[in-house]
Amino acid sequence: MIWILLVLLYGLFKGLREIAKKKAMTHNTVMEVLVSYTILSFIMVIPQVPNAMGMPGKFYFYVALKSLIIFIAWMCSFRSIKHLPVSLYGILDLSRVLFATLLAMVVLQETLNTNQIIGMVFVCGGLILLKFKPKFLNKLFENENDLTITTDSKGIQNRTWLYILGAFISCLLNATSGLMDKILMKDINSSQLQFWYMLFLVIYYVIYVIVTKTKISLSVLKNGWIWLMAVIFVIADYALFVANANPDSRVTVMTLIKQSGCIITIIGGRLVFKEKNTGYRLLCATIIIAGIVIAVM
């Protein structure tokens, strides 16, 4: 079905965007990347203005709330991805499948069929294996460590786990935003959601920059990775909003399909950032992807 392909496109583009984020933040600060990325993305959706007008009044509040949720989620995720291996972050990000599925079942009363239950078991199993590597796999991955901490400093270790916590908070907030997308798209169109959502995001970041007196260097506009992020983001989000508008689409299934992006982050971590310790993560990701395939069969 078309909506499945659109969500798959979103997932793959999401993986590419995580790589672009980390590359962008090697040249500029987290806030410089966040602010410029958000503004550039908003500029790219301005042509949708004619189709974005006429939204019922109450939905401005709901869209503003969604933007606030994403504002906080991005603050957490960008800081986490800057300090964690992109391949590890990509798999930690898979935990949003648990949050999104729970929210969809509680709020939307969605149920899981047999294939989706089996797929969920595979996804959860992959996440558990990421955290707890079985002893019998130690020889196969004897030179790998799931979370490489290059120093024995307790302070560094505590900060690392803080970034991991930030990744999980981001997953929960993104899952909440995804649920809101499905609900909102029943009454408004994709152009309305994307335009106003991006406008409110820009407002939030401008307020943050003014209040905190954060300096943003104009040299950030020379960072090509930020431009790439913005293009990928706008295309991927539009595809996702269109998929949400399809009455046959389900949050539980869409959430599973989105996780296909983890393969991109693991491969990208190896090829782009020369990260080590990717073999075991790739095994975990393969189990998770197998669960996604089973769920959509």
Side-chain angles (χ1 to χ4, degrees):
M1 288 183 282
I2 296 298
W3 69 268
I4 291 179
L5 294 176
L6 289 171
V7 179
L8 180 61
L9 175 67
Y10 173 87
L12 296 177
F13 272 24
K14 181 179 178 297
L16 289 172
R17 196 166 78 239
E18 305 302 356
I19 295 171
K21 285 179 189 176
K22 194 166 183 69
K23 286 294 290 184
M25 287 184 287
T26 60
H27 303 289
N28 294 98
T29 66
V30 170
M31 286 311 302
E32 284 179 334
V33 173
L34 260 175
V35 172
S36 57
Y37 162 58
T38 304
I39 292 175
L40 285 175
S41 298
F42 172 67
I43 292 172
M44 291 179 187
V45 303
I46 286 178
Q48 297 185 34
V49 168
N51 296 323
M53 298 297 105
M55 188 168 67
K58 65 180 181 180
F59 289 101
Y60 290 99
F61 170 76
Y62 297 138
V63 175
L65 178 59
K66 168 189 164 62
S67 297
L68 179 61
I69 289 171
I70 290 297
F71 168 75
I72 299 171
W74 283 5
M75 295 284 277
C76 292
S77 66
F78 272 65
R79 283 180 168 81
S80 294
I81 199 170
K82 180 177 177 66
H83 297 282
L84 294 174
V86 69
S87 53
L88 175 60
Y89 177 85
I91 296 187
L92 290 172
D93 189 58
L94 292 172
S95 62
R96 75 169 66 186
V97 71
L98 306 178
F99 299 127
T101 300
L102 180 61
L103 287 170
M105 294 177 71
V106 172
V107 179
L108 300 179
Q109 302 299 307
E110 290 188 3
T111 57
L112 300 176
N113 60 32
T114 302
N115 277 10
Q116 289 161 6
I117 291 173
I118 294 173
M120 181 65 68
V121 170
F122 270 73
V123 171
C124 293
L127 289 168
I128 292 171
L129 285 173
L130 175 66
K131 175 62 180 174
F132 303 104
K133 183 193 296 185
K135 290 183 178 179
F136 71 87
L137 289 176
N138 283 340
K139 283 190 176 181
L140 183 60
F141 301 97
E142 58 185 356
N143 295 321
E144 297 199 339
N145 186 3
D146 293 336
L147 180 57
T148 302
I149 301 175
T150 57
T151 175
D152 292 330
S153 167
K154 187 176 180 180
I156 294 295
Q157 185 172 358
N158 287 340
R159 284 200 298 274
T160 299
W161 286 106
L162 185 62
Y163 297 134
I164 290 177
L165 176 62
F168 281 123
I169 291 174
S170 172
C171 289
L172 174 59
L173 294 175
N174 275 293
T176 303
S177 173
L179 177 68
M180 292 185 70
D181 289 344
K182 183 63 178 175
I183 296 172
L184 291 171
M185 287 302 296
K186 294 178 181 178
D187 298 291
I188 62 178
N189 63 50
S190 55
S191 294
Q192 289 172 330
L193 180 55
Q194 190 168 38
F195 174 79
W196 291 106
Y197 149 60
M198 291 306 305
L199 176 59
F200 284 122
L201 262 181
V202 169
I203 292 172
Y204 291 144
Y205 281 114
V206 169
I207 292 173
Y208 179 89
V209 168
I210 293 173
V211 171
T212 61
K213 299 180 180 179
T214 301
K215 294 183 179 179
I216 306 296
S217 172
L218 291 178
S219 64
V220 73
L221 296 177
K222 298 179 181 179
N223 190 333
W225 291 101
I226 296 176
W227 289 85
L228 177 61
M229 284 167 57
V231 171
I232 292 174
F233 171 69
V234 170
I235 296 174
D237 258 27
Y238 189 80
L240 183 63
F241 294 153
V242 172
N244 269 297
N246 190 311
D248 294 328
S249 63
R250 300 178 62 192
V251 172
T252 48
V253 178
M254 287 194 294
T255 302
L256 288 170
I257 299 173
K258 289 177 188 177
Q259 310 320 311
S260 56
C262 74
I263 293 292
I264 303 296
T265 59
I266 292 173
I267 295 174
R270 184 72 174 183
L271 298 179
V272 179
F273 299 102
K274 310 303 179 185
E275 292 178 1
K276 298 179 180 179
N277 314 321
T278 55
Y280 185 71
R281 295 172 194 160
L282 191 58
L283 172 64
C284 295
T286 301
I287 295 172
I288 292 167
I289 295 301
I292 295 171
V293 172
I294 292 172
V296 299
M297 288 177 60

